Amino acid sequence: MASSEEAKLELFLAWLQANGAELRCCEIQYCGPNKGFGIFSSNNPPDGVFLVVPLDLAITPMRVLQDPLIGAECRAMFEEGEVDDRFLIILFLTVERLRTNSLWKPYLDVLPTTFGSPLWFTDDEFSELTGTTLHHAVELQRKQLRSLYEEKVKSLVKKFLSLDGDTERDVSFEDFLWANSIFWTRALNIPLPRSYVFPEKELDGRFSNNDNSDVSNHEVAFKEVADAEDQKKSSGHVADGIVTEAAYVAVQDETVWVEGLVPGIDFCNHDLQAVATWEVDATGSTTRVPFSMYLLSAEQGQFQKEKEIRISYGNKGNEELLYLYGFVIDDNPDDYLMVHYPAEAMQSIPFSEAKAQLLEAQKAELRCLLPRSLLDQGFFPRRASKDKGDNKQEIERAANFSWSGQRRTPSYRNKLVFPENFLTALRTIAMKEEQLSQVTHLLEELIGSGEEREPSDTEVRGAVWEACGDSGALQLLVDLLQTNSLKSEC
């Protein structure tokens, strides 16, 4: 297996070099079936640059719209608003993987074929997530991907392969699922230079310098995607679905952010303590390669030889890392706890309709997301000491929380880590019949039987607090936490 992967790697490295990429002080190595490929230092880079890849090698939505095989059809769908920029890349990857004469074959062959994300779990593995937020999210994602494949992707891929002269090749849902996973595990948000997106001068003979000439296909494609990305933000003139350069640049200044895959750089694995970052060099002043992306050392001094060059995927909790990339980190400092009351469970509780109306009136939230570090001290986090003025404001705010002032405000009122919007929801869900009647009575007293006005969210919260207190809400919170804990241990 290793020799097969090494052979694929040799072809990929030759392909990179032929397309202008430069591995200056690094090597791409095969790290085994569970980890795939990684990038390792070979020498200490004198200028801090390990790897340089021309932006023309990136797979972006604009690249897809210019593709000689699928570009015209994708452009028509894109202009009609039938597809978005991410779909374009995923569709392109699906088609290119199945094409026997794909120009991208050396790159596609070294990409992983299986993934650790829940989309690829067996039924037994997936059942262990039952009841969690992640289970619900993946279940919904599977249904959406399957529907998208059956309704659009399958017929499009067959059509494109037929245009390429391949009428015998079968397409499967797994092909589309692979392309979707490749995009979400490897795509970068690329800050493309404005001069690359909207070329104004003949930099390399590719574009005309005549202001009256037709706009090149390259520029139109970039403009179409730019419009889709930021049409809502632009205050400039938009005509026929294509934003003008002046309008778009006014918003983005010198940078256009576009998602895409950058072969080579996308082999960097994740680390909380990244040893490198990636940058874009528009002029070639750093890399001597204009319009390129490069890996730059983030460490000072000598760089250890054979050390893996890792970048950071961002501050993400384990649930998000598993969902997107298929791995988790032990003792992840960015991990968090999701506590939620399932919306579907609302239908089975007593007086669900009335409670749903109260939840909406109070702007309550059925879930909360807390950094696990916040729970190191239990429900009550460490707090810096406050001066007397701050304490007085807290006391006054707590005293005004009660409807009549007769219900005593608990001492934990301003210490509990769980947000008020979430506790408000739990109070409402846990209400008993007599408490619900009391809330209705209190609100009628406030606004009058004639219902001259609607009570504010603060007034409704006050009525619910007066009728219920926190006893039912805290018991429900304990039940939710115990359920969450049990599922985490399974």
Side-chain angles (χ1 to χ4, degrees):
M1 175 65 73
S3 60
S4 173
E5 296 301 324
E6 293 295 340
K8 292 178 182 179
L9 177 59
E10 278 191 35
L11 291 174
F12 171 62
L13 293 175
W15 179 83
L16 274 180
Q17 185 177 7
N19 283 280
E22 299 177 6
L23 280 74
R24 296 183 177 176
C25 295
C26 68
E27 297 175 347
I28 299 177
Q29 300 177 11
Y30 182 62
C31 307
N34 294 326
K35 189 175 178 182
F37 293 94
I39 301 181
F40 295 80
S41 62
S42 57
N43 289 298
N44 190 62
D47 56 358
V49 177
F50 289 106
L51 170 64
V52 183
V53 179
L55 288 176
D56 283 348
L57 203 58
I59 300 177
T60 62
M62 295 76 68
R63 168 73 62 187
V64 179
L65 293 178
Q66 297 174 79
D67 186 76
L69 179 66
I70 75 174
E73 181 102 7
C74 287
R75 183 187 299 277
M77 292 188 296
F78 193 80
E79 290 174 349
E80 292 297 322
E82 297 178 14
V83 298
D84 61 17
D85 50 340
R86 289 172 174 169
F87 177 85
L88 291 176
I89 295 179
I90 295 171
L91 178 65
F92 179 81
L93 290 170
T94 307
V95 173
E96 291 300 314
R97 188 192 193 200
L98 295 172
R99 291 181 66 187
T100 55
N101 58 342
S102 172
L103 297 175
W104 301 88
K105 182 174 174 57
Y107 170 57
L108 300 178
D109 282 349
V110 294
L111 296 180
T113 56
T114 59
F115 304 84
S117 63
L119 279 175
W120 294 79
F121 279 9
T122 64
D123 290 341
D124 288 342
E125 290 171 336
F126 188 59
S127 66
E128 295 183 8
L129 299 176
T130 301
T132 65
T133 305
L134 185 58
H135 183 278
H136 179 72
V138 175
E139 198 171 44
L140 180 61
Q141 187 185 27
R142 280 180 171 178
K143 291 179 180 178
Q144 291 173 337
L145 290 174
R146 174 66 72 172
S147 176
L148 185 58
Y149 171 76
E150 296 293 344
E151 295 175 6
K152 185 169 291 186
V153 174
K154 186 176 182 180
S155 59
L156 281 173
V157 174
K158 284 186 174 181
K159 178 179 179 179
F160 294 143
L161 292 176
S162 178
L163 292 174
D164 196 39
D166 190 347
T167 58
E168 303 297 326
R169 180 64 62 95
D170 289 330
V171 57
S172 67
F173 175 68
E174 285 66 29
D175 294 320
F176 175 59
L177 186 62
W178 171 87
N180 179 81
S181 297
I182 287 295
F183 174 82
W184 285 106
T185 56
R186 307 182 81 85
L188 299 172
N189 203 16
I190 310 170
L192 295 175
R194 168 189 165 281
S195 56
Y196 184 76
V197 176
F198 301 109
E200 296 173 336
K201 297 182 179 180
E202 189 174 356
L203 298 177
D204 55 7
R206 292 177 299 171
F207 308 112
S208 171
N209 191 31
N210 186 347
D211 292 339
N212 296 321
S213 64
D214 293 335
V215 180
S216 69
N217 289 336
H218 176 280
E219 187 172 352
V220 170
F222 272 78
K223 286 182 176 179
E224 288 173 346
V225 175
D227 179 41
E229 292 280 353
D230 282 273
Q231 185 173 0
K232 293 181 180 180
K233 297 179 182 178
S234 177
S235 58
H237 174 66
V238 178
D240 300 326
I242 299 179
V243 66
T244 64
E245 177 183 347
Y248 188 74
V249 173
V251 176
Q252 293 291 335
D253 195 22
E254 294 299 316
T255 302
V256 179
W257 290 88
V258 175
E259 288 179 301
L261 278 68
V262 184
I265 288 181
D266 64 345
F267 283 87
C268 284
N269 292 310
H270 170 69
D271 199 322
L272 294 174
Q273 301 295 326
V275 299
T277 60
W278 50 264
E279 306 286 347
V280 167
D281 186 3
T283 63
S285 59
T286 301
T287 63
R288 302 183 299 281
V289 181
F291 299 124
S292 62
M293 179 179 283
Y294 61 97
L295 276 180
L296 180 67
S297 173
E299 295 188 348
Q300 301 294 328
Q302 292 293 314
F303 200 92
Q304 182 181 349
K305 190 175 181 180
E306 295 294 324
K307 181 175 183 178
E308 184 169 6
I309 302 170
R310 299 187 182 188
I311 61 175
S312 172
Y313 295 178
N315 299 327
K316 293 178 172 62
N318 278 341
E319 192 173 38
E320 187 176 3
L321 289 173
L322 182 61
Y323 181 78
L324 291 175
Y325 306 110
F327 66 85
V328 296
I329 298 175
D330 292 338
D331 300 321
N332 187 349
D334 297 310
D335 209 4
Y336 52 78
L337 173 69
M338 169 73 80
V339 185
H340 78 292
Y341 188 89
E344 55 269 21
M346 282 289 298
Q347 301 174 3
S348 60
I349 64 174
F351 312 104
S352 58
E353 186 174 344
K355 290 180 179 180
Q357 292 176 352
L358 284 174
L359 288 173
E360 183 177 357
Q362 298 173 91
K363 301 177 181 177
E365 299 287 345
L366 291 177
R367 65 181 62 191
C368 70
L369 192 64
L370 299 173
R372 288 192 183 275
S373 59
L374 191 63
L375 301 173
D376 288 344
Q377 304 299 313
F379 288 0
F380 306 101
R382 295 175 180 172
R383 291 179 179 269
S385 59
K386 301 177 180 180
D387 58 34
K388 295 181 179 180
D390 289 336
N391 286 331
K392 182 178 180 181
Q393 290 178 359
E394 291 289 343
I395 293 172
E396 288 177 350
R397 188 168 69 86
N400 290 333
F401 186 71
S402 174
W403 179 268
S404 64
Q406 296 177 1
R407 180 179 287 279
R408 183 179 179 183
T409 301
S411 59
Y412 59 78
R413 172 66 185 85
N414 297 306
K415 301 176 182 178
L416 202 62
V417 297
F418 297 93
E420 180 57 35
N421 283 349
F422 181 62
L423 290 176
T424 293
L426 297 186
R427 290 189 198 104
T428 306
I429 293 169
M431 272 198 299
K432 298 179 180 178
E433 182 177 6
E434 62 273 15
Q435 294 170 335
L436 184 60
S437 298
Q438 186 180 355
V439 169
T440 302
H441 177 70
L442 289 171
L443 293 176
E444 286 177 350
E445 282 187 348
L446 174 67
I447 64 175
S449 57
E451 300 184 0
E452 291 86 356
R453 67 176 181 86
E454 292 291 329
S456 68
D457 59 316
T458 302
E459 290 169 338
V460 178
R461 289 188 184 197
V464 170
W465 163 253
E466 187 73 16
C468 306
D470 273 344
S471 177
L474 292 178
Q475 182 58 59
L476 182 55
L477 176 60
V478 170
D479 293 341
L480 290 175
L481 291 173
Q482 287 179 337
T483 302
N484 191 298
S485 176
L486 287 173
K487 288 172 180 174
S488 298
E489 294 172 1
C490 292

